[in-house]
Every structure is written in C-alpha cells, then in structure tokens.
Coordinates of all heavy atoms in Angstrom, one line a residue:
M1 N -24.9 89.4 75.9 CA -26.1 90.1 75.3 C -26.5 89.5 74.0 O -27.6 89.3 73.7 CB -25.7 91.6 75.1 CG -26.9 92.6 75.3 SD -27.8 92.3 76.8 CE -29.3 93.1 76.3
T2 N -25.5 89.1 73.2 CA -25.7 88.5 72.0 C -26.4 87.1 72.1 O -27.3 86.7 71.4 CB -24.4 88.3 71.2 OG1 -23.5 89.4 71.5 CG2 -24.6 88.1 69.7
R3 N -26.0 86.4 73.2 CA -26.5 85.1 73.5 C -28.0 85.2 73.8 O -28.8 84.4 73.4 CB -25.8 84.5 74.7 CG -26.1 83.0 74.9 CD -25.2 82.4 75.9 NE -23.9 82.1 75.3 CZ -22.9 81.6 76.0 NH1 -23.0 81.3 77.3 NH2 -21.7 81.3 75.5
L4 N -28.4 86.2 74.5 CA -29.8 86.5 74.9 C -30.6 86.7 73.7 O -31.7 86.2 73.5 CB -29.9 87.7 75.9 CG -31.1 87.8 76.7 CD1 -31.1 86.7 77.8 CD2 -31.3 89.1 77.3
A5 N -30.1 87.5 72.7 CA -30.8 87.8 71.5 C -31.0 86.5 70.7 O -32.0 86.3 70.1 CB -30.0 88.8 70.7
L6 N -29.9 85.6 70.7 CA -30.0 84.4 70.0 C -31.1 83.5 70.6 O -31.9 82.9 69.9 CB -28.6 83.7 70.1 CG -28.3 82.7 69.0 CD1 -28.0 83.4 67.7 CD2 -27.2 81.8 69.4
I7 N -31.1 83.4 71.9 CA -32.2 82.6 72.6 C -33.6 83.1 72.3 O -34.5 82.4 72.0 CB -31.9 82.6 74.2 CG1 -30.7 81.7 74.5 CG2 -33.1 82.1 74.9 CD1 -30.1 82.0 75.9
A8 N -33.7 84.5 72.3 CA -35.0 85.1 71.9 C -35.4 84.7 70.5 O -36.5 84.4 70.2 CB -34.8 86.6 72.1
L9 N -34.4 84.7 69.6 CA -34.6 84.4 68.2 C -35.1 82.9 68.1 O -36.1 82.6 67.4 CB -33.3 84.6 67.4 CG -33.5 84.6 65.9 CD1 -34.2 85.9 65.4 CD2 -32.2 84.4 65.2
V10 N -34.4 82.0 68.8 CA -34.8 80.6 68.8 C -36.2 80.4 69.3 O -37.0 79.7 68.7 CB -33.7 79.8 69.6 CG1 -34.2 78.3 69.9 CG2 -32.4 79.7 68.9
I11 N -36.5 81.1 70.4 CA -37.9 81.0 71.0 C -38.9 81.5 70.0 O -39.9 80.9 69.8 CB -37.9 81.8 72.3 CG1 -37.2 81.0 73.4 CG2 -39.4 82.0 72.7 CD1 -36.9 81.9 74.7
L12 N -38.5 82.6 69.3 CA -39.4 83.2 68.3 C -39.7 82.2 67.1 O -40.8 81.9 66.7 CB -38.8 84.5 67.8 CG -39.8 85.5 67.3 CD1 -40.6 86.1 68.4 CD2 -39.1 86.6 66.5
I13 N -38.6 81.5 66.7 CA -38.6 80.5 65.6 C -39.5 79.4 66.0 O -40.4 79.0 65.3 CB -37.2 80.1 65.2 CG1 -36.5 81.2 64.4 CG2 -37.3 78.8 64.4 CD1 -35.0 81.0 64.3
F14 N -39.3 78.9 67.3 CA -40.2 77.8 67.8 C -41.6 78.2 67.9 O -42.5 77.4 67.6 CB -39.6 77.3 69.2 CG -38.6 76.2 69.0 CD1 -37.3 76.5 69.1 CD2 -39.1 74.9 68.8 CE1 -36.3 75.5 68.9 CE2 -38.1 73.9 68.6 CZ -36.8 74.2 68.7
Y15 N -41.8 79.4 68.3 CA -43.2 79.9 68.4 C -43.9 79.9 67.1 O -45.0 79.4 67.0 CB -43.1 81.4 69.0 CG -44.5 82.1 69.0 CD1 -45.5 81.7 69.9 CD2 -44.7 83.1 68.1 CE1 -46.7 82.4 69.9 CE2 -45.9 83.8 68.1 CZ -46.9 83.4 68.9 OH -48.1 84.1 68.9
F16 N -43.2 80.4 66.1 CA -43.8 80.4 64.7 C -44.0 79.0 64.2 O -45.0 78.7 63.5 CB -43.0 81.3 63.8 CG -43.4 82.7 64.0 CD1 -42.5 83.6 64.6 CD2 -44.6 83.2 63.5 CE1 -42.8 85.0 64.7 CE2 -44.9 84.6 63.7 CZ -44.0 85.4 64.3
L17 N -43.0 78.1 64.5 CA -43.1 76.7 64.0 C -44.3 76.1 64.6 O -45.1 75.3 63.9 CB -41.8 76.0 64.5 CG -40.8 75.8 63.4 CD1 -39.5 75.2 63.9 CD2 -41.3 74.8 62.3
F18 N -44.6 76.3 65.9 CA -45.7 75.7 66.6 C -47.0 76.2 66.1 O -48.0 75.5 65.9 CB -45.6 75.8 68.1 CG -44.8 74.7 68.8 CD1 -43.5 74.9 69.1 CD2 -45.5 73.5 69.1 CE1 -42.8 73.8 69.6 CE2 -44.8 72.5 69.6 CZ -43.4 72.6 69.9
R19 N -47.0 77.5 65.9 CA -48.2 78.2 65.3 C -48.5 77.6 63.9 O -49.7 77.3 63.6 CB -48.0 79.7 65.2 CG -48.6 80.4 66.3 CD -48.5 81.9 66.1 NE -49.2 82.3 64.8 CZ -49.7 83.5 64.6 NH1 -49.7 84.4 65.6 NH2 -50.3 83.8 63.5
W20 N -47.5 77.4 63.1 CA -47.7 76.9 61.8 C -48.2 75.4 61.8 O -49.0 75.0 61.1 CB -46.3 77.0 61.0 CG -46.4 76.3 59.7 CD1 -46.9 76.7 58.5 CD2 -45.8 75.0 59.4 NE1 -46.8 75.8 57.5 CE2 -46.1 74.7 58.0 CE3 -45.2 74.0 60.1 CZ2 -45.7 73.5 57.4 CZ3 -44.8 72.8 59.5 CH2 -45.1 72.6 58.1
A21 N -47.6 74.7 62.8 CA -47.9 73.2 62.9 C -49.4 73.0 63.4 O -50.0 72.1 63.0 CB -46.9 72.5 63.9
F22 N -49.8 73.9 64.3 CA -51.2 73.7 64.9 C -52.2 74.6 64.3 O -53.4 74.5 64.6 CB -51.1 73.8 66.4 CG -50.3 72.8 67.1 CD1 -49.0 73.0 67.6 CD2 -50.8 71.5 67.1 CE1 -48.3 72.0 68.2 CE2 -50.0 70.5 67.7 CZ -48.7 70.7 68.2
A23 N -51.8 75.4 63.4 CA -52.8 76.3 62.7 C -53.8 75.4 61.8 O -53.3 74.4 61.2 CB -52.1 77.3 61.8
P24 N -55.0 75.8 61.8 CA -55.9 75.0 61.0 C -55.5 75.2 59.5 O -55.6 76.2 58.9 CB -57.3 75.6 61.3 CG -57.0 77.0 61.9 CD -55.7 76.9 62.5
S25 N -55.0 74.1 59.0 CA -54.5 74.1 57.6 C -55.7 74.1 56.6 O -56.8 73.6 56.9 CB -53.7 72.9 57.3 OG -54.4 71.7 57.7
P26 N -55.5 74.8 55.5 CA -56.6 74.8 54.5 C -56.9 73.4 54.0 O -56.0 72.6 53.8 CB -56.1 75.7 53.4 CG -54.6 75.8 53.6 CD -54.4 75.6 55.1
K27 N -58.1 73.1 53.9 CA -58.5 71.7 53.5 C -58.0 71.4 52.1 O -58.4 72.0 51.1 CB -60.1 71.6 53.5 CG -60.7 71.5 54.8 CD -62.2 71.6 54.8 CE -62.8 71.8 56.2 NZ -64.2 72.1 56.1
R28 N -57.1 70.4 52.1 CA -56.5 70.0 50.9 C -57.3 68.9 50.3 O -57.8 68.0 51.0 CB -55.0 69.6 51.1 CG -54.0 70.7 50.7 CD -52.7 70.3 51.2 NE -52.4 71.1 52.4 CZ -51.4 70.8 53.3 NH1 -50.7 69.7 53.1 NH2 -51.2 71.5 54.3
G29 N -57.5 68.9 49.0 CA -58.2 67.8 48.3 C -59.7 68.0 48.4 O -60.4 67.2 48.0
E30 N -60.1 69.1 49.0 CA -61.6 69.4 49.1 C -61.9 70.7 48.3 O -62.2 71.7 48.9 CB -62.0 69.5 50.5 CG -62.7 68.3 51.0 CD -63.3 68.5 52.4 OE1 -64.2 69.3 52.6 OE2 -62.7 67.8 53.3
N31 N -61.7 70.6 47.0 CA -62.0 71.8 46.2 C -63.5 71.8 45.9 O -64.0 70.9 45.2 CB -61.1 71.6 44.9 CG -61.2 72.8 44.0 OD1 -61.9 73.8 44.4 ND2 -60.5 72.8 42.9
P32 N -64.1 72.9 46.3 CA -65.6 73.0 46.0 C -65.9 73.1 44.5 O -67.0 72.8 44.1 CB -66.0 74.2 46.8 CG -64.8 75.0 47.0 CD -63.6 74.0 47.1
D33 N -64.9 73.5 43.8 CA -65.1 73.7 42.3 C -64.8 72.4 41.6 O -64.9 72.3 40.4 CB -64.2 74.8 41.8 CG -64.6 76.1 42.4 OD1 -65.8 76.3 42.6 OD2 -63.7 77.0 42.6
A34 N -64.3 71.4 42.3 CA -64.0 70.1 41.7 C -65.2 69.5 41.0 O -66.3 69.5 41.6 CB -63.4 69.1 42.7
T35 N -65.0 69.1 39.8 CA -66.1 68.6 39.0 C -66.4 67.1 39.4 O -65.5 66.3 39.5 CB -65.8 68.7 37.5 OG1 -65.3 70.0 37.2 CG2 -67.0 68.5 36.6
E36 N -67.6 66.8 39.6 CA -68.0 65.5 39.9 C -68.0 64.6 38.7 O -68.4 65.1 37.6 CB -69.5 65.5 40.4 CG -69.8 64.2 41.1 CD -71.3 64.2 41.5 OE1 -71.9 65.2 41.8 OE2 -71.9 63.1 41.5
M37 N -67.4 63.5 38.8 CA -67.2 62.6 37.6 C -68.3 61.5 37.7 O -68.6 61.0 38.8 CB -65.9 61.9 37.6 CG -64.7 62.9 37.5 SD -64.7 63.9 36.0 CE -63.9 62.8 34.9
V38 N -68.9 61.2 36.6 CA -69.9 60.2 36.5 C -69.4 59.2 35.4 O -68.7 59.5 34.5 CB -71.3 60.8 36.1 CG1 -71.9 61.5 37.2 CG2 -71.2 61.7 34.9
K39 N -69.9 57.9 35.7 CA -69.4 56.8 34.8 C -70.5 56.5 33.7 O -71.6 56.4 34.0 CB -69.1 55.6 35.7 CG -68.3 54.5 35.0 CD -68.1 53.4 35.9 CE -67.3 52.3 35.2 NZ -67.1 51.1 36.1
D40 N -70.0 56.4 32.5 CA -70.8 56.0 31.4 C -70.9 54.5 31.5 O -69.9 53.8 31.4 CB -70.1 56.5 30.1 CG -70.8 56.1 28.9 OD1 -71.6 55.1 28.8 OD2 -70.7 56.9 27.9
P41 N -72.2 54.0 31.7 CA -72.3 52.5 31.8 C -72.1 51.8 30.5 O -71.9 50.6 30.5 CB -73.7 52.4 32.4 CG -74.5 53.6 31.9 CD -73.4 54.7 31.8
N42 N -72.1 52.5 29.4 CA -71.9 51.8 28.1 C -70.4 51.6 27.8 O -70.0 50.5 27.6 CB -72.6 52.7 27.0 CG -72.6 51.9 25.7 OD1 -73.1 50.8 25.6 ND2 -72.0 52.5 24.7
C43 N -69.7 52.7 27.8 CA -68.2 52.5 27.5 C -67.3 52.5 28.7 O -66.1 52.4 28.6 CB -67.8 53.6 26.5 SG -67.9 55.3 27.1
R44 N -68.0 52.7 29.9 CA -67.2 52.7 31.2 C -66.2 53.8 31.3 O -65.2 53.6 31.9 CB -66.6 51.3 31.4 CG -67.6 50.2 31.7 CD -67.0 48.9 31.8 NE -68.0 47.8 32.1 CZ -68.7 47.2 31.1 NH1 -68.4 47.5 29.9 NH2 -69.6 46.3 31.4
M45 N -66.5 54.9 30.7 CA -65.6 56.0 30.7 C -66.2 57.0 31.7 O -67.4 57.1 31.9 CB -65.6 56.7 29.3 CG -64.5 57.6 29.1 SD -64.6 58.2 27.3 CE -65.5 59.7 27.5
Y46 N -65.2 57.7 32.4 CA -65.7 58.8 33.3 C -65.8 60.1 32.6 O -64.9 60.5 31.9 CB -64.7 58.9 34.5 CG -64.9 57.7 35.5 CD1 -64.2 56.6 35.4 CD2 -65.8 57.8 36.5 CE1 -64.4 55.5 36.2 CE2 -66.0 56.8 37.4 CZ -65.3 55.6 37.2 OH -65.5 54.6 38.1
V47 N -67.0 60.7 32.9 CA -67.3 62.0 32.2 C -67.6 63.1 33.3 O -68.3 62.7 34.3 CB -68.5 61.9 31.3 CG1 -68.6 62.9 30.2 CG2 -68.6 60.5 30.6
P48 N -67.1 64.3 33.1 CA -67.5 65.3 34.0 C -69.0 65.5 34.0 O -69.6 65.6 32.9 CB -66.8 66.6 33.6 CG -65.7 66.1 32.6 CD -66.2 64.8 32.0
K49 N -69.6 65.5 35.2 CA -71.1 65.6 35.2 C -71.7 66.7 34.4 O -72.7 66.4 33.7 CB -71.6 65.7 36.7 CG -73.0 65.2 36.9 CD -73.4 65.1 38.3 CE -74.7 64.5 38.5 NZ -75.1 64.4 39.9
P50 N -71.2 68.0 34.4 CA -71.8 69.0 33.6 C -71.8 68.7 32.1 O -72.6 69.2 31.3 CB -71.0 70.3 33.9 CG -70.2 70.0 35.0 CD -70.0 68.5 35.1
E51 N -70.8 67.9 31.7 CA -70.7 67.6 30.2 C -71.4 66.3 29.9 O -71.5 65.9 28.7 CB -69.2 67.4 29.9 CG -68.5 68.8 29.8 CD -67.0 68.6 29.7 OE1 -66.5 67.7 29.0 OE2 -66.2 69.4 30.3
A52 N -71.8 65.5 30.9 CA -72.4 64.2 30.6 C -73.9 64.4 30.1 O -74.5 65.4 30.4 CB -72.4 63.4 31.8
I53 N -74.3 63.4 29.4 CA -75.7 63.4 28.9 C -76.5 62.5 29.8 O -76.2 61.3 30.0 CB -75.7 62.9 27.4 CG1 -75.1 64.0 26.5 CG2 -77.2 62.6 27.0 CD1 -74.5 63.4 25.2
C54 N -77.5 63.1 30.5 CA -78.3 62.4 31.4 C -79.5 61.8 30.8 O -80.3 62.5 30.1 CB -78.7 63.3 32.6 SG -79.6 62.5 33.9
K55 N -79.7 60.5 31.0 CA -80.9 59.9 30.4 C -81.5 59.0 31.5 O -80.8 58.3 32.3 CB -80.5 58.9 29.3 CG -79.9 59.7 28.1 CD -81.0 60.2 27.1 CE -80.3 60.9 25.9 NZ -81.3 61.6 25.1
T56 N -82.8 59.0 31.6 CA -83.5 58.2 32.5 C -84.0 56.9 31.7 O -84.8 57.0 30.8 CB -84.7 58.9 33.2 OG1 -84.1 60.1 33.8 CG2 -85.3 58.1 34.3
I57 N -83.4 55.8 32.1 CA -83.7 54.5 31.4 C -84.3 53.6 32.4 O -83.7 53.3 33.5 CB -82.5 53.9 30.7 CG1 -82.0 54.9 29.6 CG2 -82.8 52.6 30.1 CD1 -80.6 54.6 29.2
E58 N -85.6 53.2 32.2 CA -86.3 52.3 33.1 C -86.3 52.8 34.5 O -86.0 52.1 35.5 CB -85.8 50.9 33.0 CG -86.0 50.3 31.6 CD -85.7 48.8 31.5 OE1 -84.8 48.4 32.2 OE2 -86.3 48.1 30.7
G59 N -86.5 54.1 34.7 CA -86.6 54.7 36.0 C -85.2 55.0 36.7 O -85.2 55.6 37.8
N60 N -84.1 54.7 36.1 CA -82.8 54.9 36.6 C -82.1 56.0 35.8 O -82.1 55.9 34.6 CB -82.0 53.7 36.7 CG -82.6 52.6 37.6 OD1 -82.9 52.9 38.7 ND2 -82.7 51.4 37.1
E61 N -81.5 56.9 36.5 CA -80.7 58.0 35.9 C -79.3 57.4 35.5 O -78.6 56.8 36.3 CB -80.5 59.2 36.8 CG -81.4 60.3 36.4 CD -81.0 61.6 37.2 OE1 -80.2 61.6 38.1 OE2 -81.7 62.6 36.9
H62 N -79.0 57.7 34.2 CA -77.7 57.2 33.7 C -77.0 58.4 33.0 O -77.7 59.2 32.4 CB -77.8 56.1 32.8 CG -78.3 54.8 33.4 ND1 -77.6 54.0 34.2 CD2 -79.6 54.3 33.3 CE1 -78.4 53.0 34.6 NE2 -79.6 53.2 34.1
F63 N -75.7 58.4 33.2 CA -74.9 59.5 32.5 C -74.0 58.9 31.4 O -73.4 57.9 31.6 CB -74.1 60.3 33.6 CG -74.9 61.0 34.6 CD1 -75.3 60.4 35.8 CD2 -75.3 62.3 34.3 CE1 -76.0 61.1 36.7 CE2 -76.1 63.0 35.2 CZ -76.5 62.4 36.4
F64 N -74.1 59.6 30.3 CA -73.3 59.1 29.1 C -72.4 60.1 28.6 O -72.6 61.3 28.7 CB -74.3 58.6 28.0 CG -75.2 57.5 28.5 CD1 -76.5 57.8 29.0 CD2 -74.8 56.2 28.4 CE1 -77.3 56.8 29.4 CE2 -75.6 55.2 28.9 CZ -76.9 55.5 29.4
C65 N -71.4 59.7 27.9 CA -70.4 60.6 27.3 C -71.0 61.2 26.0 O -70.6 62.3 25.6 CB -69.1 59.9 27.0 SG -69.1 58.6 25.8
S66 N -71.8 60.4 25.3 CA -72.4 60.9 24.1 C -73.8 60.3 23.9 O -74.2 59.4 24.5 CB -71.5 60.5 22.9 OG -71.5 59.1 22.8
E67 N -74.5 60.9 22.9 CA -75.9 60.4 22.6 C -75.8 59.0 22.0 O -76.7 58.2 22.2 CB -76.5 61.3 21.5 CG -77.0 62.7 22.0 CD -78.4 62.5 22.8 OE1 -79.0 61.5 22.8 OE2 -78.7 63.5 23.4
K68 N -74.7 58.7 21.3 CA -74.4 57.4 20.7 C -74.4 56.3 21.8 O -75.0 55.3 21.7 CB -73.1 57.5 19.9 CG -72.9 56.3 19.1 CD -71.6 56.4 18.3 CE -70.9 55.1 18.0 NZ -70.1 54.6 19.1
C69 N -73.7 56.6 22.9 CA -73.5 55.7 24.0 C -74.9 55.5 24.7 O -75.3 54.4 25.1 CB -72.5 56.2 25.0 SG -70.9 55.6 24.7
A70 N -75.6 56.6 24.8 CA -77.0 56.6 25.5 C -77.9 55.6 24.7 O -78.6 54.8 25.2 CB -77.5 58.0 25.5
D71 N -77.8 55.8 23.3 CA -78.7 54.9 22.5 C -78.2 53.5 22.5 O -79.1 52.6 22.6 CB -78.6 55.5 21.0 CG -79.4 56.8 20.8 OD1 -80.2 57.1 21.7 OD2 -79.1 57.5 19.8
E72 N -76.9 53.3 22.5 CA -76.4 51.9 22.6 C -76.8 51.2 23.9 O -77.2 50.1 23.9 CB -74.9 51.9 22.5 CG -74.4 51.9 21.0 CD -72.8 52.0 21.0 OE1 -72.2 51.5 21.9 OE2 -72.3 52.6 20.0
Y73 N -76.7 52.0 25.0 CA -77.0 51.4 26.3 C -78.5 51.1 26.4 O -78.9 50.1 26.9 CB -76.6 52.4 27.4 CG -76.8 51.8 28.8 CD1 -75.9 50.8 29.3 CD2 -77.8 52.2 29.6 CE1 -76.0 50.3 30.5 CE2 -78.0 51.7 30.9 CZ -77.1 50.7 31.3 OH -77.2 50.2 32.6
R74 N -79.3 52.0 25.9 CA -80.8 51.8 25.9 C -81.2 50.6 25.1 O -82.0 49.8 25.5 CB -81.5 53.1 25.3 CG -83.0 53.1 25.6 CD -83.6 54.5 25.5 NE -82.9 55.3 24.5 CZ -82.9 56.6 24.4 NH1 -83.5 57.3 25.3 NH2 -82.3 57.3 23.5
N75 N -80.5 50.4 24.0 CA -80.8 49.2 23.1 C -80.4 47.9 23.8 O -81.0 46.9 23.7 CB -80.0 49.4 21.8 CG -80.6 50.4 20.9 OD1 -81.8 50.8 21.1 ND2 -79.8 50.9 20.0
K76 N -79.3 48.0 24.6 CA -78.9 46.8 25.4 C -79.9 46.5 26.5 O -80.1 45.4 26.8 CB -77.5 47.1 26.0 CG -76.4 46.9 25.1 CD -75.1 47.0 25.9 CE -73.9 47.5 25.0 NZ -72.8 48.0 25.8
Q77 N -80.4 47.6 27.1 CA -81.4 47.4 28.2 C -82.8 47.0 27.7 O -83.4 46.2 28.4 CB -81.5 48.7 29.0 CG -80.3 49.2 29.7 CD -79.8 48.2 30.8 OE1 -80.5 47.9 31.7 NE2 -78.6 47.6 30.6
Q78 N -83.1 47.5 26.6 CA -84.5 47.1 26.0 C -84.3 46.5 24.7 O -84.4 47.2 23.7 CB -85.3 48.4 25.9 CG -85.5 49.1 27.3 CD -86.1 50.5 27.1 OE1 -85.8 51.2 26.2 NE2 -87.0 50.8 28.0
P79 N -83.9 45.2 24.6 CA -83.7 44.6 23.3 C -84.9 44.6 22.5 O -86.0 44.4 23.0 CB -83.2 43.2 23.6 CG -83.6 43.0 25.0 CD -83.8 44.3 25.7
A80 N -84.7 45.0 21.2 CA -85.9 45.1 20.3 C -86.5 43.8 20.2 O -85.8 42.8 19.9 CB -85.4 45.7 19.0
S81 N -87.8 43.7 20.4 CA -88.5 42.4 20.3 C -89.1 42.2 18.9 O -89.4 43.2 18.3 CB -89.6 42.3 21.4 OG -90.4 43.5 21.4
Ligands
LIG1 ZN1 -69.6 56.5 26.3

C-alpha cells in the first residue's frame, strides 16, 4: 500500500514538473516599463529617452544628454561661416 502511495506521489511530481516545463513562462527581458535608451551623438553617451533633450537638427531628430551637448553638436553640424 505504501508503494502505491509512493508511485502516486512520483506521478504527481512528474505531472507538476511537466506542467511547469510547458506552462507559458512570463516573458523575461520584455519589461514594458523598460526605458528606451537613446544615444547622444555628441558625447556618445546613452541617455534614457524621457530624460534626453530632443533637438531637430537639419531635419533629423537627435537626443542629447544636456543642452551643452546639443549646442556643441549643432555647432559641429553647422560650422559658423
Ligand atoms: Zn552629451
């Protein structure tokens, strides 16, 4: 009788193991709250998009870590004549 209980237990363990193995696992590495990172073309630093300073320079959108970088980059793109 004890052996039968043991077999039942093993079957139960396997059942749960299989359920766990084939259960749709939560998507790892896909955090909807993950902040998108943008690259500062001036200092090549990555900045979280909400914190970045967005500037449109010659029709292209660029993200900067600071106003200083934005100005520096703009000066590089449009050299003072
Ligand atoms: Zn910068």
Side-chain angles (χ1 to χ4, degrees):
M1 212 52 200
T2 323
R3 191 170 284 176
L4 201 73
L6 205 75
I7 288 163
L9 193 75
V10 168
I11 287 166
L12 209 73
I13 287 165
F14 269 98
Y15 170 73
F16 278 108
L17 258 169
F18 272 97
R19 260 188 59 152
W20 172 78
F22 294 107
S25 54
K27 284 173 193 169
R28 259 168 259 160
E30 256 186 69
N31 186 1
D33 297 323
T35 315
E36 195 187 328
M37 298 298 278
V38 286
K39 196 179 177 183
D40 182 328
N42 188 56
C43 64
R44 291 175 180 86
M45 196 176 91
Y46 283 92
V47 201
K49 204 173 184 178
E51 287 170 38
I53 291 154
C54 181
K55 296 274 182 192
T56 306
I57 297 161
E58 295 186 331
N60 297 310
E61 254 191 355
H62 297 285
F63 293 93
F64 299 96
C65 67
S66 64
E67 283 285 349
K68 192 177 149 278
C69 268
D71 287 340
E72 272 178 32
Y73 187 75
R74 194 162 32 203
N75 290 338
K76 277 186 211 168
Q77 295 299 298
Q78 305 168 321
S81 48

